[in-house]
Amino acid sequence: MNAAQAEGRRGLWIAAASFVLWGLMPLYWHLLKAVPSLQIVGHRIAWSAAMVAAWLCWKQGLAWLREVFSQPRKAAMLALSGTLIAFNWGLYIWAVNAGHVVETSLGYFINPLVNVVLGVLLLHERMNRVQWLAVALAAAGVVWLTWQYGQLPWIAIALALSFATYGLIRKLVAVEAVTGLGIESLYLFLPALAVLLWGESHGQGGFLGGWGLGVDLLLIMAGALTALPLIGFAYAVRRVPLSVVGLMQYIAPTLQLLIGVLVLHEPFDRARLIGFVFIWVGLLMFAGDGLWRSRRQAAA
């Protein structure tokens, strides 16, 4: 195995771990249900920014800041990606704590399809016939689920579009994963701090006394849980074709769906099951094709 293949395989494993963490996050946000969603997002951004910036300064001093801000285009693109991910976080946390976990899973089922389209149309990535059939089956499942939902699933659509666009920008920006997250966090830190201070002064906050020590610790740890999968995703998306990353992202919404149905007891009938079967069959086809091709290359 050459260096490029090893790097690609490492990217696949890191992407998988990131999506598993994201898939389990509804359980974490459900523990914080008593905290207003805007306050959760503020703490998530603030603690993530503090942790990532401290790590980067310890490892690199201020070189990571000079690296990005010496290139205005790169800095501007990271400002846009930071805005997109903040919007995605806020909508997702609100939806989970408002009882829409199944719809958020639909959004992240749609999201990989958007990534596939972006990868093929904008980045000129190619897929073979088996991969196209896998995408078609997954798309049919998503269309079926959307129809069964009975109305325009605006939460799902907004989550899908915002995160797919975020992934595209991070693929195009030539910056290391942790550095990119650090810059994004710096852009968001002051607005997040303003939100937290406003909440504390207007009776919506309860940090250090109001919500209890357990909740305070969960809010602080949200920073680490925010940083780790995002760093992993940003690392993987620069080393793995966007179309492959797009289909791997079905790991997260599958876990979210299981949590929504089995743990939080949201409705899931036979009609919805049909849609998910289409998606899972497509995933198995895509994964099987990739495994066969990698073994053939190794044998050659």
Side-chain angles (χ1 to χ4, degrees):
M1 181 185 298
N2 58 37
Q5 289 175 325
E7 192 79 356
R9 179 168 293 185
R10 189 180 302 114
L12 285 173
W13 280 110
I14 291 175
S18 299
F19 297 138
V20 168
L21 279 175
W22 272 322
L24 297 176
M25 287 304 287
L27 294 175
Y28 196 87
W29 304 131
H30 193 68
L31 295 175
L32 294 168
K33 194 171 183 178
V35 181
S37 297
L38 194 59
Q39 291 290 299
I40 297 176
V41 176
H43 279 283
R44 184 180 188 181
I45 292 171
W47 291 111
S48 175
M51 292 176 184
V52 173
W55 169 263
L56 287 168
C57 288
W58 177 57
K59 297 291 288 186
Q60 304 179 25
L62 297 179
W64 61 286
L65 290 172
R66 291 191 293 268
E67 173 192 350
V68 174
F69 287 108
S70 63
Q71 304 176 62
R73 181 178 177 275
K74 184 181 293 187
M77 291 183 72
L78 288 173
L80 178 58
S81 64
T83 302
L84 285 168
I85 200 61
F87 170 80
N88 186 274
W89 291 344
L91 179 59
Y92 176 68
I93 291 173
W94 171 83
V96 167
N97 286 341
H100 300 292
V101 175
V102 171
E103 188 177 349
T104 65
S105 74
L106 175 59
Y108 291 111
F109 276 118
I110 296 172
N111 174 57
L113 295 176
V114 178
N115 275 344
V116 169
V117 172
L118 292 177
V120 172
L121 295 182
L122 301 181
L123 304 181
H124 309 294
E125 296 178 354
R126 296 182 178 180
M127 295 192 297
N128 59 45
R129 292 179 180 179
V130 174
Q131 292 170 331
W132 275 116
L133 179 58
V135 170
L137 286 170
V142 170
V143 170
W144 173 265
L145 289 170
T146 302
W147 180 70
Q148 287 295 319
Y149 190 74
Q151 60 182 350
L152 182 67
W154 67 271
I155 295 173
I157 292 171
L159 288 173
L161 290 175
S162 59
F163 196 69
T165 308
Y166 172 80
L168 176 63
I169 293 173
R170 288 307 305 267
K171 187 174 183 68
L172 295 175
V173 177
V175 63
E176 286 301 316
V178 183
T179 300
L181 179 58
I183 298 298
E184 290 171 344
S185 300
L186 285 184
Y187 281 123
L188 299 172
F189 179 75
L190 289 180
L193 187 60
V195 165
L196 294 177
L197 293 176
W198 182 89
E200 294 292 340
S201 63
H202 286 75
Q204 295 187 18
F207 191 68
L208 297 179
W211 295 319
L213 179 60
V215 171
D216 291 349
L217 290 175
L218 288 175
L219 288 170
I220 294 172
M221 286 303 299
L225 290 176
T226 292
L228 289 175
L230 266 179
I231 291 170
F233 175 78
Y235 176 91
V237 81
R238 293 185 58 210
R239 291 161 174 85
V240 179
L242 193 60
S243 53
V244 175
V245 174
L247 286 171
M248 286 185 68
Q249 284 177 339
Y250 281 118
I251 295 171
T254 298
L255 291 173
Q256 292 167 8
L257 171 72
L258 293 174
I259 289 170
V261 175
L262 300 179
V263 179
L264 304 179
H265 307 294
E266 293 186 11
F268 187 73
D269 54 20
R270 182 179 297 178
R272 291 188 177 186
L273 177 61
I274 293 172
F276 281 92
V277 167
F278 272 95
I279 293 168
W280 292 328
V281 170
L283 283 174
L284 288 173
M285 289 181 61
F286 193 90
D289 178 75
L291 181 62
W292 177 76
R293 288 179 179 279
S294 64
R295 288 182 174 178
R296 190 177 68 171
Q297 290 176 355

